Amino acid sequence: MMSDHDSIEGRAAGGDDFETWFDQNFDVDVDVDGVPAPRSRRRNGVGDTLIADEDLTIAESAAQAPEADDWDDEPEAVAAPLAQRAGARIIRRPKAWWDAPWSTERIVKLIVTASSLIITTWIMARIVHFAPVPFAGDNDLIFDETTPTGGDMGAHVWAPAFLRDHFIGNGQISGWSMDWYGGLPLYRFYLVIPALAIIALDSLPFISYGVAFKLVAMSGLVTFPAACWAFGRLAAFRHPLPELFAFAGLTFLLDESFQIYGGNVLSTMAGEYSFSIALTLAVLGLGLLANGLRTGKYRVWAAVVISLAMVSHGIVLIFVAFSAAILCLVWIDKTRIVFAVTTGITTLLLSLWWVGPFLFGHEFMTDMKYGFRPSGATDSFWDMFFPLTPALDIIITSLAVIGFASFVLRRQLTGTALGLICLFFVAGVYFTRDSLPVIGLLWNPRLLPFVYLTRYFLMVAGAYELVRWLIGMGREHLASRERSLGESASAYAVVGVSILLVFGWMYEVLPFDGKVVEAEGEAPVYAWGPLRKNATSGRAVADGWSRYNWQGYEGRPSYPAYHDLVTTMEGLGEERGCGRALWENNSANSEYGTTMSLMLLPHWTDGCIGSMEGLFFEATASTNYHFITAAAVSESSSNPVRQLRYTNNDAEIGVRHMQDLGVRYLMVRTDAAKAEAAVNDELDFVAVSGTWEIYEVRDSNIVEALDVAPVVVDPSSDDDWYKPGDDRERNLEIGTSWFQNRETWPAIPVDEGPDEWQRVTASIVQDQRIE
């Protein structure tokens, strides 16, 4: 039986893979008239690497060469203009593709491919409200002049703008900012590629910053189905599997079983837009790598695209690095090992500018101690791996098993690698319960999207094989027999339409549907023929989330109140002086568009009023100290860092911490926090804006001289709370001990210092220890 990855090599010109056949058998040069001039090529054995024809010996070549004296009689060749030659190279492939014979098979396959890409891309464009055409009406929100909000995305607005205004002009793509946390290394431990794309679009005179941000933020979603198709096409999966991979990508994007892990629409709208961009690049890069392992081509392209994926999001870096390794191991032989190694080295070198500092500087980051899943008596690994309804989970997983088995039986190496990648990340979710070794910083559910994505790829392959088998069984065909074009197209249609029906049901947009009342007094439920939703099912929300985000701060009903608050703070900066602001952490802040809306204080005030809270929690060492302080001035703070001791709503403690952190302004909105602030002698009431009261903190300076020299904590005195080599945990324990219990320390503790500084020992106070 012919394997999938071999069968494509034997296709004739004019078939589905004409471009592949053309590139592999001809090296097209362009003469002075711009006419393609094919030159014979041949294969190089197992690796399918293309080499120039070397049938002529050196002696024969010399014998056929003209004598030197004859050269003077030859007319001098005239090179075509550069623009003409460049234009000829651009159009040669489209022209060759168009000129190839238009057989029935080719037309049908083109219709299948076009329908797949158009349908999946159109659906995603509708979901994210992207309609860049004149007749779109009010369907488009991307080009509205608004500032995006929603979840973390509403705060991500600050960082690319700061990069544009303060770094790019100095030739930097990272540096120090005082706008968040009282100082952080911006883009030192976070990914800068998507931000650079936003800045590039913003530089165009007809695109505003908000529009540029939205275009980049949604770009990974809209292009993902096409990237999945390109992966299948580059990896030489049989038609129409690449087209079905586009539907698999759509299924992954619209999966609403998770909201913050990354990759799907909900996660992207929650702020993980860098993840979706990186994942799109990763899928395309793996397709290029698979093609290179098969043909010897695209070494540089594969390295460039994979490295871009790696430096666009750290979690996707884990996915693409291990997936590429598995893919290479499945394909590896004596010929391909050189391609794999050289591509890997090139990828590493292209990524080291960010990966190197991240890996070797992680001890300066904050571990948020997210814990792990499963957590609690009601959670389990079963719930993690099978988050949908039981019926859907059974169907999806069963089809995925069939797809994996079919790839193995057909010796489709890239398909087999997909199954192994899925199993690898299933194991990864389990074995990273305690985060990554040495580095930490990983919450194990963040690996689940890669399990879901590869399972959806396997699912559509299994569904296609099952439908083909049923069609063939009806016609008494053997399972091993290659199906006709009509059978393949029919199987594609059945699988594609089935997926669309599921999403039509989720979004309640099926034809001939409606709402029905099951019983008197009950709310109407969605119905399609005899099928009924139950009263609690509801409608899918991905398009609603994107609408909420793109309407922006300006589209919220509370925007006037938000604008007044920002203007009040800007006025205080001009009147009383710029400085850091600590605002009460409260869920009511979401009325402005996101609970993180006040992280944009430095964005709106041109850096005059800094926000003590920001994103990039892991990227600064002061994160823990900020959240301890925020809890002390808030009625009900989120307290996101685990294993810290928080004291809620105690202005006396909060003022002391704010003075340590150099906070100038305190902003409170709940009655409980206002009552605490009003009776504290070190807080001066300075302004009110709507529900907010604003105080100025006395004796709060950014820089203060020490009255007593620091004390060096002797590392040999560390008790069992310290694991040798874990300096980050040691410094957190000592630092928070001083920050919250200063009376127990003779002076501020440090890790090292001159010999004249006092040395002290430190150990746990056992009767106060909390496990």
Side-chain angles (χ1 to χ4, degrees):
M1 181 168 57
M2 185 176 294
S3 67
D4 291 345
H5 58 275
D6 289 331
S7 62
I8 195 169
E9 308 297 351
R11 295 191 178 182
D16 175 60
D17 290 284
F18 174 80
E19 301 102 313
T20 303
W21 176 88
F22 191 88
D23 288 342
Q24 291 172 353
N25 290 276
F26 294 93
D27 179 21
V28 179
D29 293 330
V30 179
D31 65 13
V32 294
D33 296 323
V35 179
R39 183 179 55 184
S40 177
R41 304 286 270 181
R42 70 179 184 182
R43 302 239 172 247
N44 187 30
V46 177
D48 293 337
T49 305
L50 304 182
I51 60 173
D53 196 325
E54 298 174 351
D55 290 340
L56 294 179
T57 65
I58 294 177
E60 289 172 327
S61 298
Q64 293 182 13
E67 295 291 338
D69 292 340
D70 295 336
W71 292 353
D72 295 333
D73 299 330
E74 293 291 331
E76 188 173 337
V78 179
L82 178 60
Q84 181 180 346
R85 285 182 282 134
R89 291 193 65 84
I90 292 173
I91 68 170
R92 67 181 177 88
R93 284 194 177 185
K95 185 177 184 302
W97 177 84
W98 182 260
D99 290 341
W102 284 92
S103 63
T104 301
E105 178 182 3
R106 190 178 182 214
I107 293 172
V108 170
K109 289 185 175 181
L110 179 60
I111 292 173
V112 169
T113 300
S115 65
S116 171
L117 294 178
I118 291 172
I119 290 172
T120 55
T121 304
W122 180 81
I123 289 174
M124 280 314 305
R126 294 283 296 180
I127 291 292
V128 301
H129 303 282
F130 176 55
V133 289
F135 51 83
D138 60 354
N139 293 325
D140 180 84
L141 295 176
I142 299 296
F143 290 98
D144 287 355
E145 299 291 338
T146 57
T147 306
T149 185
D152 287 2
M153 188 175 289
H156 272 297
V157 169
W158 165 78
F162 188 93
L163 174 65
R164 174 199 63 197
D165 296 339
H166 298 278
F167 293 162
I168 293 295
N170 299 323
Q172 298 174 259
I173 58 173
S174 64
W176 192 264
S177 170
M178 300 295 284
D179 283 2
W180 282 353
Y181 299 112
L184 82 161
L186 182 60
Y187 291 119
R188 174 66 164 75
F189 298 117
Y190 200 74
L191 296 311
V192 72
I193 297 299
L196 293 175
I198 292 171
I199 293 170
L201 280 177
D202 183 41
S203 67
L204 300 176
F206 51 87
I207 295 182
S208 67
Y209 177 73
V211 172
F213 191 101
K214 289 186 282 186
L215 283 169
V216 172
M218 64 91 187
S219 62
L221 299 175
V222 173
T223 58
F224 189 68
C228 293
W229 168 81
F231 164 77
R233 186 64 177 271
L234 287 165
F237 284 91
R238 291 175 305 141
H239 184 89
L241 282 183
E243 287 70 21
L244 288 175
F245 283 169
F247 281 97
L250 178 70
T251 305
F252 171 77
L253 294 176
L254 298 181
D255 184 342
E256 298 191 355
S257 65
F258 61 101
Q259 301 176 355
I260 59 174
Y261 301 158
N264 64 346
V265 176
L266 298 189
S267 298
T268 301
M269 293 302 125
E272 289 288 347
Y273 70 93
S274 293
F275 193 113
S276 59
I277 292 171
L279 190 59
T280 297
L281 290 169
V283 170
L284 179 60
L286 291 173
L288 290 165
L289 179 62
N291 187 285
L293 290 167
R294 184 174 58 86
T295 68
K297 297 165 58 179
Y298 299 130
R299 188 192 320 269
V300 174
W301 276 110
V304 169
V305 176
I306 290 175
S307 65
L308 279 174
M310 293 172 69
V311 299
S312 292
H313 201 281
I315 305 297
V316 177
L317 182 153
I318 298 172
F319 167 68
V320 72
F322 283 103
S323 297
I326 292 171
L327 190 59
C328 290
L329 288 174
V330 169
W331 274 93
I332 209 69
D333 58 24
K334 291 181 180 179
T335 304
R336 293 179 173 89
I337 193 169
V338 175
F339 179 92
V341 171
T342 54
T343 304
I345 292 174
T346 305
T347 302
L348 180 62
L349 292 175
L350 289 173
S351 308
L352 271 180
W353 63 273
W354 184 84
V355 176
F358 178 87
L359 292 177
F360 295 107
H362 65 84
E363 68 269 21
F364 300 109
M365 301 172 67
T366 293
D367 189 344
M368 295 292 289
K369 305 177 185 295
Y370 288 116
F372 58 85
R373 284 193 63 193
S375 58
T378 61
D379 197 11
S380 68
F381 279 109
W382 186 270
D383 295 327
M384 294 166 66
F385 294 128
F386 306 103
L388 303 172
T389 61
L392 281 176
D393 282 325
I394 291 172
I395 293 172
I396 291 169
T397 305
S398 299
L399 292 175
V401 170
I402 294 172
F404 188 17
S406 70
F407 287 144
V408 174
L409 293 174
R410 292 177 178 275
R411 295 182 297 155
Q412 219 296 348
L413 298 185
T414 304
T416 301
L418 276 178
L420 295 176
I421 291 167
C422 183
L423 294 175
F424 176 86
F425 281 100
V426 168
V429 172
Y430 178 82
F431 287 109
T432 58
R433 297 190 313 281
D434 294 322
S435 198
L436 293 175
V438 182
I439 297 177
L441 307 174
L442 177 68
W443 187 38
N444 67 320
R446 295 300 300 272
L447 301 182
L448 283 171
F450 311 129
V451 176
Y452 302 153
L453 174 60
T454 50
R455 184 165 58 192
Y456 284 134
F457 279 146
L458 297 171
M459 176 198 74
V460 295
Y464 174 70
E465 289 293 336
L466 180 62
V467 174
R468 275 200 340 152
W469 179 76
L470 291 174
I471 293 174
M473 184 174 64
R475 300 182 61 179
E476 299 182 353
H477 287 167
L478 296 176
S480 61
R481 181 187 179 278
E482 288 297 315
R483 302 298 178 223
S484 68
L485 178 63
E487 291 172 341
S488 296
S490 299
Y492 158 80
V494 170
V495 177
V497 169
S498 298
I499 291 173
L500 293 177
L501 287 175
V502 171
F503 288 124
W505 175 260
M506 290 172 54
Y507 284 90
E508 301 182 358
V509 292
L510 292 170
F512 314 113
D513 60 0
K515 295 277 189 175
V516 297
V517 177
E518 293 292 327
E520 186 177 353
E522 294 184 357
V525 296
Y526 183 73
W528 188 57
L531 301 178
R532 301 284 190 275
K533 281 188 177 182
N534 59 50
T536 60
S537 293
R539 180 186 181 276
V541 297
D543 58 336
W545 280 38
S546 59
R547 182 186 305 108
Y548 182 97
N549 282 27
W550 302 153
Q551 287 174 340
Y553 288 96
E554 297 84 352
R556 308 312 307 157
S558 295
Y559 179 68
Y562 179 65
H563 183 270
D564 181 72
L565 178 60
V566 171
T567 303
T568 299
M569 293 306 299
E570 185 176 31
L572 286 174
E574 295 172 354
E575 178 184 332
R576 307 181 69 90
C578 298
R580 301 168 184 171
L582 179 63
W583 38 273
E584 183 180 0
N585 192 315
N586 189 271
S587 60
N589 296 345
S590 62
E591 67 177 301
Y592 305 131
T594 170
T595 56
M596 303 175 186
S597 54
L598 293 178
M599 292 181 186
L600 291 192
L601 280 171
H603 179 74
W604 303 125
T605 64
D606 197 22
C608 179
I609 304 297
S611 168
M612 278 303 297
E613 186 164 336
L615 299 179
F616 315 145
F617 295 156
E618 292 91 348
T620 174
S622 59
T623 303
N624 299 304
Y625 305 96
H626 159 70
F627 282 113
I628 289 172
T629 307
V633 298
S634 303
E635 179 186 28
S636 179
S637 185
S638 59
N639 300 344
V641 186
R642 298 173 70 249
Q643 301 177 14
L644 296 180
R645 294 192 188 186
Y646 296 99
T647 300
N648 291 316
N649 201 31
D650 189 325
E652 181 179 356
I653 293 175
V655 166
R656 188 181 68 194
H657 292 338
M658 286 190 289
Q659 290 169 336
D660 289 336
L661 295 174
V663 176
R664 183 162 191 166
Y665 297 106
L666 170 64
M667 306 165 62
V668 291
R669 69 175 301 168
T670 63
D671 292 339
K674 290 176 182 177
E676 280 287 313
V679 298
N680 192 286
D681 294 336
E682 297 184 83
L683 294 175
D684 295 327
F685 176 79
V686 293
V688 62
S689 176
T691 58
W692 291 88
E693 291 182 358
I694 303 157
Y695 293 81
E696 186 170 1
V697 184
R698 296 180 184 177
D699 301 321
S700 179
N701 302 305
I702 293 178
V703 178
E704 290 185 1
L706 294 177
D707 296 327
V708 180
V711 294
V712 179
V713 180
D714 187 353
S716 63
S717 68
D718 294 333
D719 209 335
D720 60 350
W721 51 269
Y722 168 60
K723 296 179 181 179
D726 192 356
D727 292 336
R728 184 168 55 204
E729 185 66 18
R730 174 182 184 270
N731 293 335
L732 174 61
E733 289 283 355
I734 295 173
T736 53
S737 176
W738 175 84
F739 193 66
Q740 296 180 282
N741 304 281
R742 192 175 309 178
E743 64 280 359
T744 65
W745 289 87
I748 186 171
V750 296
D751 197 49
E752 58 184 24
D755 293 339
E756 58 268 24
W757 286 4
Q758 181 182 355
R759 264 61 180 172
V760 299
T761 59
S763 61
I764 295 292
V765 180
Q766 293 296 333
D767 60 354
Q768 297 180 17
R769 187 171 193 174
I770 300 176
E771 292 294 343

